[in-house]
Amino acid sequence: MIEHLKMMIEHRLPGIHPHHSVLSILFRVMDMLIIGLSLWFWVEVYSVAWSDQYAIAMLLTMALFILFAESMSLYDSQRMPVLYVWVLVCAGLLVAGYTTKSANDFSQPVMELWLVGTPLVLVLYRSGIQLVLSNLRAHGYSIQTVAIVGANENGNKLAQYIQHTPALSLRLLGFFDDRQPISNNNNRFHPNLAAPFLGSFCELIECARTGRVGVIYIVLPLKAQERISQLIQNLADTPAAVYLVPDFFVFDLLHARWINIGNMPTISVFETPLYGVYGFAKRSEDLILSTLILILIALPMLAIAIGVKCSSPGPMLFRQTRYGLDGRKIKIWKFRTMTVCEDGEHIVQARPGDQRVTPFGAFLRRTSLDELPQFINVLTGQMSIVGPRPHAVAHNEIYRKLIPGYMLRHRVKPGITGWAQINGWRGETDCMEKMQKRVEYDLWYIRQWSLRVDLKIIGYTALNVLWDREAY
């Protein structure tokens, strides 16, 4: 629940982003200036002639930086993962240089110092700005006083988020509600409020009129429509900014977002996070990383293919039908690890000591090397490097009837690795609880998706793959 609320606060609520709008624009402009000026600086230091190649490299770097920065919420995040973004930018430049065979057109010292020095400058200037802003806030500048209407669970979570996020420049005054704690017997009034309870709506309106409160967040249930309407009418006679926090958290939202159909606002209940620029960023990530990885693993894959062929009769590769994006059927590639190539309505999962698994296949499964051909699926757009693992069609048809929300996994492309896998939920699902946990982790990934989460999962996968004991 708190993650849903945090997502809605960070990405959907008006009234919080305006506090950051000027700073976000400043960061964007400064990022582009630093990227361009740092390249120009090193070109001048080494007395290299400025050419169209350097201009193209600069513009490409700026475009990739903005693309990945927006996708990783760089300008909204308090952690500001600049280095994560820059690593992706460098990977994109490497792929571009390799595919265009233009790497030799640049001065090696210039490019090395530029690629290493630029992220350091980005981090330093951001740290300096944050230090200045922290000092200003400590002295009371750029602070707005906030009141929350609704002394309930969601109101308390909003209060906790405001209190633990000083960058919002909001000072929480307290809670107001038209119900009194002592008379409440239905547990709607939160017993451990994060801020003082200051009174009824009448006290709130008086505080707003006298200027004690500058921003008011109304966090009341949807069924309190008449109370909300009357309160808003009364607050219209005050100078306070008023924001409505809809109580959508009674639903199990899957990456909710606002959509306007004409002049009518709607909110999605089940939606993919990979729309618009986010989908383009995810696809760019897959193309860049899968190209680099396939280049690196080409010879190992050839050796594995020979090992499969020599260790047992049958094909080196086999294709199995799985469900992909939006539930469409796809064919995924794997190195053959068994004496059979099952693909149909009835598939028996591999078990410990399974006689169908060849000795060489057991090694491939234990180290996940049998999954390497799926980078080809990633390159062709059928899969992603990170996402919910694709299950056999036969298993999908079973579990979609038993686990609520199971098919929501297909709001994104299936992945070679995923959040469930790095948390131990891989291998045989010999009971309902294991599959439920896997689905739970898959849906968490879809709700919380970002390029930063993807990189974290890829990193953990690389570290854990040789020590995994759940695959057989």
Side-chain angles (χ1 to χ4, degrees):
M1 185 81 68
I2 186 65
E3 294 300 330
H4 291 290
L5 183 63
K6 182 176 179 181
M7 179 186 67
M8 296 289 285
I9 292 170
E10 288 181 320
H11 301 295
R12 306 289 172 246
L13 292 184
I16 290 182
H17 270 200
H19 300 302
H20 286 291
S21 57
V22 175
L23 187 59
S24 296
I25 293 172
L26 173 63
F27 278 139
R28 287 175 172 88
V29 172
M30 287 296 296
D31 287 344
M32 297 302 100
L33 287 175
I34 288 173
I35 290 171
L37 290 176
S38 60
L39 178 58
W40 173 83
F41 173 79
W42 291 114
V43 167
E44 290 295 316
V45 166
Y46 280 86
S47 301
V48 176
W50 184 267
S51 63
D52 291 342
Q53 283 88 343
Y54 285 101
I56 292 171
M58 180 185 69
L59 293 174
L60 176 60
T61 303
M62 290 179 175
L64 288 174
F65 189 90
I66 285 293
L67 172 66
F68 292 129
E70 297 292 349
S71 300
M72 295 182 73
S73 302
L74 175 65
Y75 301 107
D76 297 324
S77 172
Q78 303 308 312
R79 300 187 203 61
M80 297 186 298
V82 178
L83 297 180
Y84 287 101
V85 175
W86 193 253
V87 167
L88 285 175
V89 170
C90 291
L93 292 176
L94 286 174
V95 171
Y98 177 82
T99 54
T100 61
K101 303 185 184 302
S102 60
N104 294 329
D105 296 337
F106 300 92
S107 166
Q108 184 176 346
V110 167
M111 299 304 290
E112 288 177 350
L113 289 169
W114 178 50
L115 294 177
V116 172
T118 301
L120 298 179
V121 178
L122 291 172
V123 170
L124 286 174
Y125 99 82
R126 285 167 175 270
S127 299
I129 291 178
Q130 290 295 342
L131 182 62
V132 171
L133 290 175
S134 296
N135 288 331
L136 289 175
R137 292 176 188 128
H139 290 85
Y141 294 100
S142 188
I143 296 290
Q144 287 191 301
T145 303
V146 174
I148 296 177
V149 177
N152 50 40
E153 182 179 0
N154 287 332
N156 202 48
K157 289 173 180 176
L158 175 58
Q160 291 172 343
Y161 184 75
I162 291 173
Q163 291 175 334
H164 292 93
T165 314
L168 295 176
S169 298
L170 300 176
R171 181 173 65 87
L172 180 60
L173 185 65
F175 288 89
F176 294 87
D177 207 311
D178 57 349
R179 295 167 293 123
Q180 294 298 317
I182 193 170
S183 63
N184 184 264
N185 295 316
N186 55 15
N187 296 323
R188 291 185 300 169
F189 201 100
H190 198 279
N192 299 306
L193 293 177
F197 177 74
L198 300 178
S200 66
F201 290 171
C202 293
E203 282 82 4
L204 170 66
I205 294 168
E206 184 61 27
C207 286
R209 283 175 177 166
T210 58
R212 287 185 60 202
V213 175
V215 180
I216 298 171
Y217 288 105
I218 301 176
V219 191
L220 294 175
L222 291 175
K223 61 184 178 182
Q225 182 177 353
E226 292 185 7
R227 295 161 59 203
I228 295 173
S229 178
Q230 184 62 47
L231 177 60
I232 290 175
Q233 289 181 25
N234 293 331
L235 290 173
D237 191 34
T238 74
V242 180
Y243 299 105
L244 181 64
V245 183
D247 185 22
F248 291 119
F249 311 109
V250 295
F251 309 108
D252 188 17
L253 301 179
L254 187 71
H255 211 83
R257 64 186 178 104
W258 294 104
I259 302 173
N260 286 327
I261 301 178
N263 60 356
M264 182 178 296
T266 64
I267 186 170
S268 61
V269 177
F270 302 135
E271 179 58 284
T272 174
L274 305 177
Y275 52 86
V277 67
Y278 302 108
F280 184 75
K282 176 73 165 173
R283 183 61 183 145
S284 299
E285 173 198 25
D286 285 336
L287 284 173
I288 291 170
L289 295 182
S290 63
T291 300
L292 289 173
I293 291 170
L294 283 170
I295 292 171
L296 293 173
I297 66 175
L299 289 178
M301 284 181 63
L302 178 61
I304 292 171
I306 295 173
V308 172
K309 191 66 176 178
C310 294
S311 63
S312 62
M316 295 177 292
L317 299 171
F318 82 98
R319 298 173 68 193
Q320 193 173 55
T321 304
R322 303 290 174 93
Y323 280 132
L325 181 65
D326 297 329
R328 294 190 295 266
K329 290 183 179 180
I330 61 172
K331 294 281 189 178
I332 68 167
W333 291 94
K334 298 183 73 172
F335 282 119
R336 182 177 57 83
T337 59
M338 295 184 174
T339 56
V340 297
C341 295
E342 295 179 339
D343 185 19
E345 296 182 359
H346 303 286
I347 297 178
V348 179
Q349 288 185 314
R351 303 174 182 274
D354 198 315
Q355 297 299 312
R356 298 171 300 165
V357 179
T358 67
F360 188 63
F363 165 74
L364 296 180
R365 296 174 71 89
R366 185 170 61 253
T367 57
S368 297
L369 293 175
D370 61 319
E371 312 285 356
L372 292 183
Q374 288 169 31
F375 284 103
I376 300 173
N377 290 107
V378 175
L379 200 62
T380 58
Q382 295 174 312
M383 293 180 64
S384 182
I385 293 177
V386 180
R389 283 295 297 155
H391 299 154
V393 171
H395 300 151
N396 257 32
E397 295 305 320
I398 294 172
Y399 289 113
R400 70 188 301 177
K401 301 173 183 177
L402 301 175
I403 301 176
Y406 178 90
M407 291 301 290
L408 294 177
R409 303 169 70 253
H410 299 291
R411 297 305 301 149
V412 298
K413 292 179 183 178
I416 296 176
T417 184
W419 183 245
Q421 282 63 47
I422 67 169
N423 282 281
W425 300 103
R426 63 162 300 176
E428 183 190 9
T429 50
D430 54 359
C431 65
M432 184 63 65
E433 180 186 2
K434 288 185 178 180
M435 183 60 78
Q436 287 174 332
K437 295 298 293 185
R438 183 180 293 186
V439 172
E440 177 185 328
Y441 276 78
D442 287 340
L443 296 185
W444 182 95
Y445 167 76
I446 296 174
R447 293 189 181 100
Q448 304 299 325
W449 175 85
S450 70
L451 292 180
R452 184 171 56 200
V453 171
D454 275 2
L455 293 176
K456 177 180 178 180
I457 293 172
I458 292 171
Y460 274 107
T461 300
L463 290 174
N464 294 341
V465 66
L466 294 178
W467 292 273
D468 194 304
R469 294 296 178 267
E470 296 299 323
Y472 27 77

